[in-house]
Amino acid sequence: MCAKILAVANQKGGVGKTTTAVTLGCALVRAGKKILLLDLDPHACATLHARIYPEDVRYSLHDIFMASEESWPALWPLLLRSQALHGMDMAPGSIRLSELEVDFKDRSAKGSILGRSLEAVRKDYDFIILDCPPHVGILLVNALVAADLLIIPIQTDFLALHGLKLLFDTLHTLNKALGRPILYRALPTMYDKRAKACTRVLELLQRKMDHAMFNSIIGIDTRFREASAQGCSIYDIDQHSRGARCYEALAQEVLQLW
C-alpha cells in the first residue's frame, strides 16, 4: 500500500478549501480508508477544526520542513495526531510555516522536501490530504510537486474564477519545471441552485473544465459551520445532511480514479 496524495488548493480564500480537505478526509474514513490530513496553511484552520490549539502543539509540519532528511522517519511519529478528527490522523500546522520563504532562501531542492519526507509515512495510509495555503509560495509548490491529484474547490461565484486563473498560471510554470503534468479536478462549492449567478458560473465551469471537473457539486449547508464550531465533522452532526451526502459522492469519485 502506498498512499495517493491529494492537494486541496485554490489561490482565492473562502472557497471551501479547508472544509473540502476535512470533510473529504472524513468521508474517505467512512469508506474504510486510512487517512492522514496535513495542515499546510499557516493559519492552521484544519488544525483548529480538530481542536488542536497552538499552545498544545510541540511539533508541527514546520519541524518537518526544517529537519534534515535522515531525521524525518523519527520526527513524523512525534507530530502525528492519531484519529484527531472522525478517525482521521492529522499533522498540525503552525504560524511558523509562514517563515519558510525566508528560512529556505539558500536551501537546495526546496520544492520537493514535503514529497520526499512523506515517503516515511506513505505506506501507512490510503490517502494523504494536503490542506494548502491560499497563496503561491514554497508551501503550495511543495504540495503540488508531491501531489498525485490537485483538487481545486471553486466557489460558484464570478469573483472566484480569478483565483482559478492564478492557479493555472502556477500549474503551467510547474509543469514545465517538473516535466510532467500535474493532474487536477475542479470541485464546485457553495452552490445555491436558487441563485441565477451560481447557475451561470456552474454552467461556465462545466463548459470550460469539461472532463477536468468532478460530477459532485457541493451545496451550501449551515452544518459545515456547526461542525467547525464544535470541533467535529459534519458526519458527527448529521450524516444524512445534504453537505454530508455531497462529500460522500465526492469520495466515491476520488476512489474511482485509481
Side-chain angles (χ1 to χ4, degrees):
M1 178 174 71
C2 188
K4 295 296 182 186
I5 299 176
L6 313 176
V8 182
N10 189 325
Q11 286 173 241
K12 184 181 183 302
V15 297
K17 181 178 55 65
T18 296
T19 297
T20 294
V22 167
T23 317
L24 173 59
C26 294
L28 288 167
V29 166
R30 292 169 63 81
K33 301 303 178 183
K34 188 82 169 21
I35 307 300
L36 171 61
L37 175 62
L38 269 61
D39 190 351
L40 291 170
D41 192 334
H43 293 110
C45 292
T47 303
L48 292 170
H49 190 134
R51 291 184 177 178
I52 302 171
Y53 302 108
E55 59 270 22
D56 302 323
V57 176
R58 185 176 177 190
Y59 296 100
S60 74
L61 284 167
H62 179 262
D63 296 288
I64 289 289
F65 279 101
M66 297 305 296
S68 59
E69 190 163 346
E70 57 270 17
S71 63
W72 286 334
L75 187 54
W76 274 111
L78 296 177
L79 69 96
L80 290 182
R81 302 296 183 101
S82 178
Q83 299 193 358
L85 189 63
H86 204 77
M88 177 170 58
D89 291 357
M90 179 175 284
S94 163
I95 188 63
R96 295 192 67 196
L97 286 167
S98 61
E99 302 166 8
L100 287 181
E101 300 294 336
V102 175
D103 294 337
F104 278 8
K105 190 174 181 183
D106 301 314
R107 186 153 174 182
S108 61
K110 55 189 174 185
S112 62
I113 289 172
L114 181 64
R116 288 185 285 120
S117 74
L118 283 172
E119 291 304 316
V121 294
R122 278 187 83 159
K123 65 183 184 305
D124 300 325
Y125 296 95
D126 297 300
F127 291 94
I128 297 174
I129 300 175
L130 315 177
D131 186 21
C132 301
H135 57 269
V136 175
I138 196 64
L139 286 164
L140 182 58
V141 168
N142 265 270
L144 295 178
V145 169
D148 295 298
L149 176 70
L150 166 63
I151 297 175
I152 311 170
I154 306 173
Q155 183 182 357
T156 46
D157 177 274
F158 281 105
L159 290 176
L161 298 179
H162 179 62
L164 192 59
K165 181 186 182 304
L166 293 173
L167 188 60
F168 281 139
D169 289 344
T170 303
L171 282 176
H172 181 66
T173 303
L174 275 177
N175 285 344
K176 286 195 293 187
L178 289 173
R180 65 168 174 86
I182 295 170
L183 298 177
Y184 63 86
R185 290 282 188 283
L187 175 69
T189 61
M190 301 182 185
Y191 178 65
D192 183 354
K193 63 183 179 183
R194 298 166 301 178
K196 288 183 178 177
C198 280
T199 304
R200 286 202 299 272
V201 171
L202 180 61
E203 290 171 352
L204 178 63
L205 284 171
Q206 287 168 334
R207 279 202 313 273
K208 294 277 188 186
M209 304 296 289
D210 193 23
H211 65 283
M213 191 160 110
F214 287 109
N215 292 320
S216 301
I217 299 167
I218 310 301
I220 293 172
D221 192 328
T222 57
R223 290 173 184 83
F224 288 126
R225 284 184 182 171
E226 290 175 36
S228 179
Q230 294 180 35
C232 62
S233 82
I234 194 172
Y235 298 103
D236 299 312
I237 291 176
D238 185 355
Q239 62 181 340
H240 301 298
S241 64
R242 183 191 313 148
R245 293 199 309 270
C246 286
Y247 277 103
E248 283 189 331
L250 176 64
Q252 289 305 311
E253 283 196 73
V254 168
L255 290 171
Q256 288 166 16
L257 292 173
W258 289 283

PDB file of all heavy atoms in Angstrom, residues 141-162:
ATOM      1  N   VAL A 141       4.007  25.144  -3.669  1.00  0.00           N
ATOM      2  CA  VAL A 141       4.868  24.437  -4.625  1.00  0.00           C
ATOM      3  C   VAL A 141       5.181  23.041  -4.107  1.00  0.00           C
ATOM      4  O   VAL A 141       5.093  22.049  -4.847  1.00  0.00           O
ATOM      5  CB  VAL A 141       6.162  25.233  -4.889  1.00  0.00           C
ATOM      6  CG1 VAL A 141       7.176  24.377  -5.645  1.00  0.00           C
ATOM      7  CG2 VAL A 141       5.856  26.504  -5.672  1.00  0.00           C
ATOM      8  N   ASN A 142       5.526  22.904  -2.833  1.00  0.00           N
ATOM      9  CA  ASN A 142       5.800  21.595  -2.249  1.00  0.00           C
ATOM     10  C   ASN A 142       4.591  20.669  -2.347  1.00  0.00           C
ATOM     11  O   ASN A 142       4.723  19.487  -2.660  1.00  0.00           O
ATOM     12  CB  ASN A 142       6.223  21.739  -0.780  1.00  0.00           C
ATOM     13  CG  ASN A 142       7.717  21.775  -0.604  1.00  0.00           C
ATOM     14  OD1 ASN A 142       8.371  20.747  -0.428  1.00  0.00           O
ATOM     15  ND2 ASN A 142       8.282  22.968  -0.679  1.00  0.00           N
ATOM     16  N   ALA A 143       3.406  21.226  -2.089  1.00  0.00           N
ATOM     17  CA  ALA A 143       2.183  20.425  -2.153  1.00  0.00           C
ATOM     18  C   ALA A 143       1.922  19.930  -3.576  1.00  0.00           C
ATOM     19  O   ALA A 143       1.600  18.749  -3.789  1.00  0.00           O
ATOM     20  CB  ALA A 143       1.000  21.231  -1.642  1.00  0.00           C
ATOM     21  N   LEU A 144       2.054  20.823  -4.554  1.00  0.00           N
ATOM     22  CA  LEU A 144       1.772  20.458  -5.939  1.00  0.00           C
ATOM     23  C   LEU A 144       2.797  19.457  -6.478  1.00  0.00           C
ATOM     24  O   LEU A 144       2.452  18.540  -7.232  1.00  0.00           O
ATOM     25  CB  LEU A 144       1.736  21.701  -6.819  1.00  0.00           C
ATOM     26  CG  LEU A 144       0.611  22.696  -6.518  1.00  0.00           C
ATOM     27  CD1 LEU A 144       0.698  23.909  -7.426  1.00  0.00           C
ATOM     28  CD2 LEU A 144      -0.756  22.035  -6.655  1.00  0.00           C
ATOM     29  N   VAL A 145       4.054  19.615  -6.077  1.00  0.00           N
ATOM     30  CA  VAL A 145       5.091  18.676  -6.514  1.00  0.00           C
ATOM     31  C   VAL A 145       4.834  17.284  -5.929  1.00  0.00           C
ATOM     32  O   VAL A 145       5.046  16.274  -6.593  1.00  0.00           O
ATOM     33  CB  VAL A 145       6.489  19.195  -6.108  1.00  0.00           C
ATOM     34  CG1 VAL A 145       7.558  18.116  -6.300  1.00  0.00           C
ATOM     35  CG2 VAL A 145       6.856  20.433  -6.923  1.00  0.00           C
ATOM     36  N   ALA A 146       4.344  17.244  -4.690  1.00  0.00           N
ATOM     37  CA  ALA A 146       4.107  15.958  -4.022  1.00  0.00           C
ATOM     38  C   ALA A 146       2.832  15.265  -4.490  1.00  0.00           C
ATOM     39  O   ALA A 146       2.712  14.040  -4.406  1.00  0.00           O
ATOM     40  CB  ALA A 146       4.029  16.175  -2.508  1.00  0.00           C
ATOM     41  N   ALA A 147       1.882  16.041  -5.003  1.00  0.00           N
ATOM     42  CA  ALA A 147       0.520  15.535  -5.212  1.00  0.00           C
ATOM     43  C   ALA A 147       0.378  14.585  -6.400  1.00  0.00           C
ATOM     44  O   ALA A 147       0.988  14.786  -7.447  1.00  0.00           O
ATOM     45  CB  ALA A 147      -0.438  16.710  -5.383  1.00  0.00           C
ATOM     46  N   ASP A 148      -0.468  13.582  -6.198  1.00  0.00           N
ATOM     47  CA  ASP A 148      -0.926  12.734  -7.307  1.00  0.00           C
ATOM     48  C   ASP A 148      -2.130  13.370  -7.984  1.00  0.00           C
ATOM     49  O   ASP A 148      -2.405  13.115  -9.155  1.00  0.00           O
ATOM     50  CB  ASP A 148      -1.311  11.341  -6.782  1.00  0.00           C
ATOM     51  CG  ASP A 148      -0.118  10.586  -6.233  1.00  0.00           C
ATOM     52  OD1 ASP A 148       0.822  10.313  -7.012  1.00  0.00           O
ATOM     53  OD2 ASP A 148      -0.108  10.284  -5.020  1.00  0.00           O
ATOM     54  N   LEU A 149      -2.871  14.176  -7.235  1.00  0.00           N
ATOM     55  CA  LEU A 149      -4.049  14.865  -7.774  1.00  0.00           C
ATOM     56  C   LEU A 149      -4.238  16.183  -7.037  1.00  0.00           C
ATOM     57  O   LEU A 149      -4.155  16.237  -5.810  1.00  0.00           O
ATOM     58  CB  LEU A 149      -5.306  14.000  -7.590  1.00  0.00           C
ATOM     59  CG  LEU A 149      -6.633  14.645  -8.026  1.00  0.00           C
ATOM     60  CD1 LEU A 149      -6.708  14.776  -9.543  1.00  0.00           C
ATOM     61  CD2 LEU A 149      -7.829  13.848  -7.503  1.00  0.00           C
ATOM     62  N   LEU A 150      -4.491  17.230  -7.793  1.00  0.00           N
ATOM     63  CA  LEU A 150      -4.848  18.533  -7.233  1.00  0.00           C
ATOM     64  C   LEU A 150      -6.362  18.679  -7.312  1.00  0.00           C
ATOM     65  O   LEU A 150      -6.961  18.559  -8.382  1.00  0.00           O
ATOM     66  CB  LEU A 150      -4.169  19.652  -8.023  1.00  0.00           C
ATOM     67  CG  LEU A 150      -4.685  21.079  -7.801  1.00  0.00           C
ATOM     68  CD1 LEU A 150      -4.473  21.516  -6.358  1.00  0.00           C
ATOM     69  CD2 LEU A 150      -4.018  22.048  -8.775  1.00  0.00           C
ATOM     70  N   ILE A 151      -6.987  18.919  -6.170  1.00  0.00           N
ATOM     71  CA  ILE A 151      -8.426  19.193  -6.110  1.00  0.00           C
ATOM     72  C   ILE A 151      -8.598  20.696  -5.917  1.00  0.00           C
ATOM     73  O   ILE A 151      -8.049  21.268  -4.973  1.00  0.00           O
ATOM     74  CB  ILE A 151      -9.096  18.418  -4.959  1.00  0.00           C
ATOM     75  CG1 ILE A 151      -8.973  16.909  -5.202  1.00  0.00           C
ATOM     76  CG2 ILE A 151     -10.574  18.819  -4.826  1.00  0.00           C
ATOM     77  CD1 ILE A 151      -9.495  16.051  -4.058  1.00  0.00           C
ATOM     78  N   ILE A 152      -9.333  21.336  -6.824  1.00  0.00           N
ATOM     79  CA  ILE A 152      -9.483  22.788  -6.798  1.00  0.00           C
ATOM     80  C   ILE A 152     -10.931  23.143  -6.444  1.00  0.00           C
ATOM     81  O   ILE A 152     -11.813  23.125  -7.300  1.00  0.00           O
ATOM     82  CB  ILE A 152      -9.140  23.414  -8.167  1.00  0.00           C
ATOM     83  CG1 ILE A 152      -7.812  22.886  -8.704  1.00  0.00           C
ATOM     84  CG2 ILE A 152      -9.112  24.936  -8.066  1.00  0.00           C
ATOM     85  CD1 ILE A 152      -7.548  23.274 -10.157  1.00  0.00           C
ATOM     86  N   PRO A 153     -11.201  23.459  -5.174  1.00  0.00           N
ATOM     87  CA  PRO A 153     -12.556  23.918  -4.830  1.00  0.00           C
ATOM     88  C   PRO A 153     -12.788  25.302  -5.444  1.00  0.00           C
ATOM     89  O   PRO A 153     -11.959  26.201  -5.289  1.00  0.00           O
ATOM     90  CB  PRO A 153     -12.538  23.994  -3.295  1.00  0.00           C
ATOM     91  CG  PRO A 153     -11.279  23.316  -2.866  1.00  0.00           C
ATOM     92  CD  PRO A 153     -10.321  23.445  -3.997  1.00  0.00           C
ATOM     93  N   ILE A 154     -13.884  25.443  -6.155  1.00  0.00           N
ATOM     94  CA  ILE A 154     -14.197  26.721  -6.788  1.00  0.00           C
ATOM     95  C   ILE A 154     -15.599  27.150  -6.369  1.00  0.00           C
ATOM     96  O   ILE A 154     -16.589  26.492  -6.709  1.00  0.00           O
ATOM     97  CB  ILE A 154     -14.146  26.618  -8.334  1.00  0.00           C
ATOM     98  CG1 ILE A 154     -12.799  26.063  -8.794  1.00  0.00           C
ATOM     99  CG2 ILE A 154     -14.392  27.987  -8.962  1.00  0.00           C
ATOM    100  CD1 ILE A 154     -12.746  25.790 -10.289  1.00  0.00           C
ATOM    101  N   GLN A 155     -15.663  28.231  -5.625  1.00  0.00           N
ATOM    102  CA  GLN A 155     -16.965  28.782  -5.256  1.00  0.00           C
ATOM    103  C   GLN A 155     -17.705  29.194  -6.530  1.00  0.00           C
ATOM    104  O   GLN A 155     -17.114  29.792  -7.425  1.00  0.00           O
ATOM    105  CB  GLN A 155     -16.774  29.990  -4.342  1.00  0.00           C
ATOM    106  CG  GLN A 155     -18.060  30.607  -3.840  1.00  0.00           C
ATOM    107  CD  GLN A 155     -17.792  31.824  -2.971  1.00  0.00           C
ATOM    108  OE1 GLN A 155     -16.649  32.159  -2.705  1.00  0.00           O
ATOM    109  NE2 GLN A 155     -18.856  32.483  -2.530  1.00  0.00           N
ATOM    110  N   THR A 156     -18.969  28.859  -6.606  1.00  0.00           N
ATOM    111  CA  THR A 156     -19.748  29.184  -7.807  1.00  0.00           C
ATOM    112  C   THR A 156     -20.140  30.658  -7.780  1.00  0.00           C
ATOM    113  O   THR A 156     -21.300  31.030  -7.612  1.00  0.00           O
ATOM    114  CB  THR A 156     -20.992  28.279  -7.916  1.00  0.00           C
ATOM    115  OG1 THR A 156     -21.642  28.214  -6.642  1.00  0.00           O
ATOM    116  CG2 THR A 156     -20.604  26.878  -8.356  1.00  0.00           C
ATOM    117  N   ASP A 157     -19.111  31.479  -7.964  1.00  0.00           N
ATOM    118  CA  ASP A 157     -19.226  32.932  -7.907  1.00  0.00           C
ATOM    119  C   ASP A 157     -18.236  33.495  -8.928  1.00  0.00           C
ATOM    120  O   ASP A 157     -17.128  32.984  -9.062  1.00  0.00           O
ATOM    121  CB  ASP A 157     -18.890  33.406  -6.487  1.00  0.00           C
ATOM    122  CG  ASP A 157     -18.916  34.913  -6.363  1.00  0.00           C
ATOM    123  OD1 ASP A 157     -17.866  35.532  -6.653  1.00  0.00           O
ATOM    124  OD2 ASP A 157     -19.951  35.469  -5.982  1.00  0.00           O
ATOM    125  N   PHE A 158     -18.618  34.547  -9.642  1.00  0.00           N
ATOM    126  CA  PHE A 158     -17.760  35.058 -10.715  1.00  0.00           C
ATOM    127  C   PHE A 158     -16.391  35.521 -10.210  1.00  0.00           C
ATOM    128  O   PHE A 158     -15.380  35.349 -10.885  1.00  0.00           O
ATOM    129  CB  PHE A 158     -18.459  36.200 -11.463  1.00  0.00           C
ATOM    130  CG  PHE A 158     -19.476  35.706 -12.450  1.00  0.00           C
ATOM    131  CD1 PHE A 158     -20.837  35.805 -12.185  1.00  0.00           C
ATOM    132  CD2 PHE A 158     -19.076  35.111 -13.650  1.00  0.00           C
ATOM    133  CE1 PHE A 158     -21.779  35.327 -13.093  1.00  0.00           C
ATOM    134  CE2 PHE A 158     -20.015  34.638 -14.556  1.00  0.00           C
ATOM    135  CZ  PHE A 158     -21.365  34.748 -14.279  1.00  0.00           C
ATOM    136  N   LEU A 159     -16.334  36.084  -9.004  1.00  0.00           N
ATOM    137  CA  LEU A 159     -15.055  36.550  -8.468  1.00  0.00           C
ATOM    138  C   LEU A 159     -14.089  35.393  -8.225  1.00  0.00           C
ATOM    139  O   LEU A 159     -12.870  35.557  -8.300  1.00  0.00           O
ATOM    140  CB  LEU A 159     -15.273  37.320  -7.162  1.00  0.00           C
ATOM    141  CG  LEU A 159     -15.950  38.691  -7.289  1.00  0.00           C
ATOM    142  CD1 LEU A 159     -16.192  39.281  -5.909  1.00  0.00           C
ATOM    143  CD2 LEU A 159     -15.094  39.632  -8.134  1.00  0.00           C
ATOM    144  N   ALA A 160     -14.622  34.206  -7.941  1.00  0.00           N
ATOM    145  CA  ALA A 160     -13.768  33.046  -7.658  1.00  0.00           C
ATOM    146  C   ALA A 160     -13.018  32.573  -8.895  1.00  0.00           C
ATOM    147  O   ALA A 160     -11.999  31.892  -8.796  1.00  0.00           O
ATOM    148  CB  ALA A 160     -14.618  31.914  -7.094  1.00  0.00           C
ATOM    149  N   LEU A 161     -13.513  32.925 -10.079  1.00  0.00           N
ATOM    150  CA  LEU A 161     -12.860  32.483 -11.311  1.00  0.00           C
ATOM    151  C   LEU A 161     -11.494  33.131 -11.485  1.00  0.00           C
ATOM    152  O   LEU A 161     -10.620  32.574 -12.151  1.00  0.00           O
ATOM    153  CB  LEU A 161     -13.753  32.791 -12.521  1.00  0.00           C
ATOM    154  CG  LEU A 161     -15.114  32.099 -12.537  1.00  0.00           C
ATOM    155  CD1 LEU A 161     -15.904  32.515 -13.768  1.00  0.00           C
ATOM    156  CD2 LEU A 161     -14.962  30.586 -12.500  1.00  0.00           C
ATOM    157  N   HIS A 162     -11.284  34.291 -10.871  1.00  0.00           N
ATOM    158  CA  HIS A 162      -9.984  34.968 -10.980  1.00  0.00           C
ATOM    159  C   HIS A 162      -8.891  34.146 -10.304  1.00  0.00           C
ATOM    160  O   HIS A 162      -7.791  34.000 -10.832  1.00  0.00           O
ATOM    161  CB  HIS A 162     -10.061  36.360 -10.357  1.00  0.00           C
ATOM    162  CG  HIS A 162      -8.757  37.109 -10.413  1.00  0.00           C
ATOM    163  ND1 HIS A 162      -8.141  37.440 -11.608  1.00  0.00           N
ATOM    164  CD2 HIS A 162      -7.942  37.565  -9.429  1.00  0.00           C
ATOM    165  CE1 HIS A 162      -7.009  38.072 -11.352  1.00  0.00           C
ATOM    166  NE2 HIS A 162      -6.870  38.159 -10.037  1.00  0.00           N
TER     167      HIS A 162
END
